[in-house]
């Protein structure tokens, strides 16, 4: 995990260093890393790792600002409306910029016009798991069980709780 944070930090610093603001003493005040996830989740955890490393490198505090909701659209809109001065940074998932524009008709921001991608911070796997008591040992068995018991299984969704796991429940 530390390797990912250091890689992300190196790219962020390279991008920041190439701006005219750097020549003027950037940063001369705290930075805000806006996250579209609730505190305590994996996105928040990742943001805090990046913020800690970035704070050490630039000599200014990097404050994690959680703005969960609407599939991270609240966070994205907040950053899109912020001054383009390099002090407000968005930590977003691929869904924010690749999927949400297709799901939401009236976004007030545009992923191409309003943002400049800096780096890929992490790769995450999606894990499907069930409790051992269910006796399901493969994806094929899970699909068969869900089909045979309509309405009895559920999964958390990103809009209700950002998670990288799904759990079939009885």
């Amino acid at each position: 995990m530390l390797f990912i944070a250091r890689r992300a930090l190196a790219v962020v610093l390279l991008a920041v260093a190439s701006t005219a603001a750097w020549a003027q003493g950037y940063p001369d005040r705290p930075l805000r890393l806006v996250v579209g996830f609730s505190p305590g989740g994996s996105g928040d955890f990742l943001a805090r790792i990046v913020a800690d490393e970035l704070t050490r490198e630039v000599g200014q505090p990097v404050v994690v600002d959680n703005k969960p909701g609407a599939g991270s659209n609240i966070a994205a809109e907040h950053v899109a409306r912020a001054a383009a001065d390099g002090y407000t940074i968005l930590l977003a998932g691929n869904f924010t910029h690749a999927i949400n524009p297709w799901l939401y008709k009236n976004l007030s921001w545009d992923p191409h016009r309003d943002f400049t991608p800096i780096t890929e911070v992490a790769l995450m796997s999606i894990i499907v798991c069930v409790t051992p008591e269910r006796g399901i040992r493969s994806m094929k068995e899970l699909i068969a069980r869900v089909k045979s018991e309509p309405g009895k299984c559920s999964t958390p969704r990103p809009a209700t709780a950002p998670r990288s796991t799904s759990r079939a429940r009885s």
Side-chain angles (χ1 to χ4, degrees), residues 25 40 43 49 55 57 66 84-85 92 102 106 111-112 117 119 122 136 146 160 162:
I49 291 172
T55 293
E57 290 296 322
N66 299 87
D85 57 7
W102 294 94
N106 299 314
H112 303 289
T119 188
I136 298 169
V146 169
T160 58

Side-chain angles (χ1 to χ4, degrees), residues 9 20-21 23 28 91 114 135 147 150 157 162 167:
L9 176 64
D28 61 0
L91 180 68
D114 297 324
K147 286 181 177 180
R157 293 171 204 43
R167 178 179 170 213

Side-chain angles (χ1 to χ4, degrees), residues 1-8:
M1 185 65 79
L2 189 55
F3 170 75
I4 293 170
R6 287 181 192 257
R7 177 178 155 205

Side-chain angles (χ1 to χ4, degrees), residues 1 3 17-18 27 30 36 42 60 62 64 73 87 91 93 100 102 109 144 151:
M1 185 65 79
F3 170 75
S18 67
S42 59
Q60 287 289 339
V62 178
V64 175
N73 289 333
Y87 286 90
L91 180 68
N100 285 358
W102 294 94
W109 53 272

Side-chain angles (χ1 to χ4, degrees), residues 42-60:
S42 59
D44 176 66
F45 176 73
L46 188 60
R48 292 179 191 284
I49 291 172
V50 171
D52 287 346
E53 289 292 319
L54 192 54
T55 293
R56 282 192 277 282
E57 290 296 322
V58 301
Q60 287 289 339

Side-chain angles (χ1 to χ4, degrees), residues 24-151:
Q24 299 170 3
Y26 175 88
D28 61 0
R29 58 187 166 98
L31 297 150
R32 288 183 40 210
L33 183 59
V34 180
V35 185
F37 307 104
S38 301
S42 59
D44 176 66
F45 176 73
L46 188 60
R48 292 179 191 284
I49 291 172
V50 171
D52 287 346
E53 289 292 319
L54 192 54
T55 293
R56 282 192 277 282
E57 290 296 322
V58 301
Q60 287 289 339
V62 178
V63 179
V64 175
D65 187 1
N66 299 87
K67 295 198 175 294
S72 292
N73 289 333
I74 293 170
E77 181 176 357
H78 177 79
V79 173
R81 290 183 177 184
D85 57 7
Y87 286 90
T88 306
I89 303 166
L90 177 66
L91 180 68
N94 60 353
F95 56 87
T96 308
H97 285 64
I99 297 171
N100 285 358
W102 294 94
L103 293 178
Y104 299 92
K105 293 179 183 178
N106 299 314
L107 291 176
S108 64
W109 53 272
D110 180 273
H112 303 289
R113 179 193 69 224
D114 297 324
F115 296 92
T116 301
I118 297 174
T119 188
E120 180 178 76
V121 174
L123 297 172
M124 296 190 336
S125 299
I126 304 298
I127 301 167
V128 177
C129 56
V130 297
T131 58
E133 299 85 40
R134 300 285 287 163
I136 298 169
R137 302 283 180 243
S138 69
M139 193 66 184
K140 185 176 180 180
E141 290 178 13
L142 175 61
I143 292 169
R145 178 75 58 90
V146 169
K147 286 181 177 180
S148 72
E149 300 176 2

